[in-house]
Amino acid sequence: MIDLSKFSCRRERFLAQLGGKAAIIPAASLVTHHADCDYPFRQDSDFWYLTGFDEPDAIALFLPHRAIGEKFILFVRPKEPVLEVWNGFRWGIEGAMSEFGADCAHSINDFSKLLSPYLKGAEAIAFRIGKSSSIEQIVLKAWAQELDNVQRIGIPSIPLVDPSPILHQLRLFKDSFELARMREAVSISAKAHEFVRSKTHPGMNERELQAIIEKYFLDNGARGPGYGSIVASGDNACVLHYTQNNSPLCDGDLVLIDAGCSLHDYYNGDITRTFPVNGHFSNEQRALYEVVLVAQKAALASVVEGTDAEAIHLIAVRLLVEGLVDLGLLKGQVDSLIEQGAYKHLYMHRTGHWLGLDVHDVGAYRLGEYPVPLEPGMVLTVEPGIYVSDRIPVPDGQPSIKDRWKGIGIRIEDDVLVTKDGPEVLSLEAVKDIAELEF
Ligand code: GLY
Ligand code: MN
Ligand code: MN
């Protein structure tokens, strides 16, 4: 059972930072897969962060302008015994108050009627447009009414603002409770990588590895994969978002597995390991793997307070480019190759992202011109790679790629916490040194 007191602390912080703005935070809706079948429900991470309420078709109101005891309102699906027989349990209006700490709760069907009265007296409406057109129409109508009132009585009009900067700044810093959950998610994910590697051999199919790793997630208490698992052997690994996972594993190929679990409270791991299917790197695979590993370890070591995501990326890029020049896959001065981006046919993505309730978690990387400095409590991935294929043309002046290098895709991805004592790599249980991957 989830400890709901954590959510009330988050609400306090959010309400304090809203000042006089009233915030409207919707839950996710069910999404149709096909016909009358839905995808498994996945709660909206902002809504979850503030409520811990795991049902669709709900809306949370945060009303700092109201009296104590009227600041957190939930609109939820009412209890409906017949529908609960078909689709499962609902907490209903009573449950929203007794179990989830709402000061008051209503049926979601009354949202359009009750929104305007609740907004009265707010300095602004904080609502993120562009996500749910049905809720947006109701909010815009309520806002229009406010604007009409304002015109009549001659006070300044109230703005519609985005709550995301406040909320996402809160989510960017993980407290000790969140860190414990992230350690758990990453630990299960890392052990799952070890487990699937121990079962891998030539002749298996990528989807068998997917099944093994995802079963491990479920067997160990996770909700399932946090994102579409990537199991990409050989040249498939050069497709960054490959999720078909349906090729046989050939003797002599590498396999890249990018997979992480999601816990019941949605915290995620995000780990990539690349290893030889037959337990032995070829010369070309080994040479490229060593370049990625050196770049990844240096980038990981640079995850310290005060640096930023761009600086970490540049450390990885420099080492990748140096290694690729040494191997003859790039030619020229390292500085000018970096400046011209002449390496991007071999390394075309960023080196990491924030990690949390979303796999690509919220939070700014730059504030205008200024990169956001790392601070203790932030969690990010570090995931450089090299992908050698002929999908992207070789830039003018760069060497054409010999066949012996083609079809090698390598990424190494760890999850790391910024602490005041330096980087804490959360995913160390998944090994990555060559000696540990060969047998
Ligand atoms: N698994 C997605 C990513 O590594 O960013
Ligand atoms: Mn990632
Ligand atoms: Mn990943």
Side-chain angles (χ1 to χ4, degrees):
M1 181 64 191
I2 285 155
D3 177 357
L4 291 166
S5 66
K6 309 295 175 209
F7 296 90
S8 89
C9 296
R10 294 173 187 173
R11 287 195 292 273
E12 291 301 321
R13 288 207 300 272
F14 183 50
L15 278 162
Q17 296 202 11
L18 280 171
K21 306 179 200 76
I24 303 165
I25 310 290
S29 297
L30 283 164
V31 178
T32 303
H33 183 275
H34 74 283
D36 58 354
C37 298
D38 295 321
Y39 283 99
F41 178 64
R42 200 319 182 160
Q43 188 54 283
D44 176 85
S45 298
D46 284 342
F47 182 87
W48 172 265
Y49 181 78
L50 293 167
T51 67
F53 189 72
D54 206 14
E55 293 185 24
D57 301 327
I59 301 173
L61 293 190
F62 297 89
L63 306 173
H65 61 292
R66 307 279 290 211
I68 288 174
E70 301 176 6
K71 290 180 189 285
F72 170 42
I73 313 296
L74 274 176
F75 290 85
V76 301
R77 301 175 308 176
K79 286 201 75 67
E80 193 77 65
V82 174
L83 287 179
E84 289 182 52
V85 166
W86 285 90
N87 299 321
F89 176 79
R90 299 173 173 193
W91 283 104
I93 294 163
E94 289 303 317
M97 291 190 284
S98 63
E99 304 299 321
F100 293 88
D103 294 328
C104 187
H106 305 280
S107 164
I108 187 72
N109 303 320
D110 292 332
F111 179 64
S112 63
K113 186 172 79 199
L114 295 179
L115 179 60
S116 272
Y118 272 128
L119 294 179
K120 224 155 248 22
E123 278 170 20
I125 300 172
F127 174 72
R128 175 73 156 81
I129 60 167
K131 283 173 108 179
S132 154
S133 66
S134 57
I135 298 172
E136 187 172 310
Q137 277 175 24
I138 296 169
V139 173
L140 292 181
K141 195 166 155 220
W143 186 37
Q145 275 171 14
E146 283 294 307
L147 297 181
D148 283 347
N149 290 340
V150 157
Q151 263 183 353
R152 273 197 294 275
I153 55 179
I155 53 172
S157 60
I158 68 165
L160 183 71
V161 299
D162 181 7
S164 312
I166 295 176
L167 195 43
H168 295 176
Q169 184 68 10
L170 291 173
R171 282 178 53 191
L172 183 53
F173 292 88
K174 279 72 181 175
D175 62 23
S176 56
F177 168 77
E178 293 193 282
L179 289 176
R181 302 303 294 150
M182 294 200 65
R183 285 196 174 90
E184 170 79 359
V186 175
S187 175
I188 293 171
S189 305
K191 288 184 193 130
H193 275 267
E194 286 297 288
F195 185 70
V196 70
R197 187 167 49 78
S198 75
K199 301 285 176 204
T200 300
H201 55 78
M204 292 174 84
N205 191 286
E206 291 165 349
R207 83 173 76 87
E208 290 177 76
L209 305 196
Q210 179 185 355
I212 291 170
I213 199 163
E214 293 184 3
K215 179 175 187 299
Y216 190 97
F217 296 159
L218 295 171
D219 285 348
N220 286 276
R223 193 183 273 264
Y227 52 92
S229 303
I230 296 169
V231 182
S233 60
D235 177 67
N236 294 335
C238 299
V239 177
L240 301 178
H241 291 165
Y242 175 84
T243 48
Q244 282 96 332
N245 302 352
N246 58 4
S247 295
L249 306 186
C250 297
D251 202 343
D253 276 348
L254 299 178
V255 60
L256 178 158
I257 304 181
D258 182 346
C261 74
S262 186
L263 298 184
H264 281 270
D265 50 5
Y266 293 114
Y267 290 98
N268 297 294
D270 181 9
I271 300 176
T272 307
R273 290 293 182 263
T274 310
F275 58 90
V277 166
N278 65 9
H280 189 75
F281 284 92
S282 72
N283 291 341
E284 288 77 13
Q285 291 166 349
R286 178 186 305 270
L288 288 172
Y289 191 90
E290 279 170 350
V291 172
V292 178
L293 189 60
V294 164
Q296 205 255 358
K297 286 186 173 177
L300 269 181
S302 74
V303 176
V304 294
E305 213 175 335
T307 190
D308 57 71
E310 181 64 19
I312 296 165
H313 178 62
L314 287 176
I315 285 168
V317 166
R318 175 164 295 275
L319 286 161
L320 292 174
V321 169
E322 283 175 9
L324 289 164
V325 169
D326 289 346
L327 295 176
L329 283 153
L330 291 176
K331 86 171 182 237
Q333 295 296 322
V334 169
D335 283 333
S336 62
L337 291 170
I338 293 173
E339 206 171 301
Q340 292 158 17
Y343 59 88
K344 289 189 179 171
H345 57 306
L346 299 168
Y347 180 47
M348 60 298 284
H349 61 77
R350 305 293 297 175
T351 299
H353 51 82
W354 307 129
L355 179 68
L357 287 175
D358 290 344
V359 173
H360 292 171
D361 208 25
V362 294
Y365 294 89
R366 303 182 66 82
L367 293 173
E369 286 175 41
Y370 303 101
V372 169
L374 296 190
E375 292 182 52
M378 293 172 160
V379 179
L380 63 156
T381 68
V382 173
E383 50 178 306
I386 293 176
Y387 312 90
V388 191
S389 79
D390 44 20
R391 290 177 181 77
I392 300 180
V394 173
D396 284 347
Q398 289 306 311
S400 60
I401 297 170
K402 299 205 170 61
D403 283 346
R404 66 192 176 97
W405 297 106
K406 284 187 188 162
I408 302 178
I410 296 164
R411 179 164 63 256
I412 306 172
E413 175 175 30
D414 281 302
D415 304 335
V416 53
L417 165 67
V418 184
T419 80
K420 60 179 175 24
D421 303 319
E424 180 186 332
V425 182
L426 305 178
S427 40
L428 283 178
E429 286 166 293
V431 303
K432 59 188 175 187
D433 285 339
I434 285 182
E436 294 170 296
L437 298 178
E438 289 197 317
F439 55 87

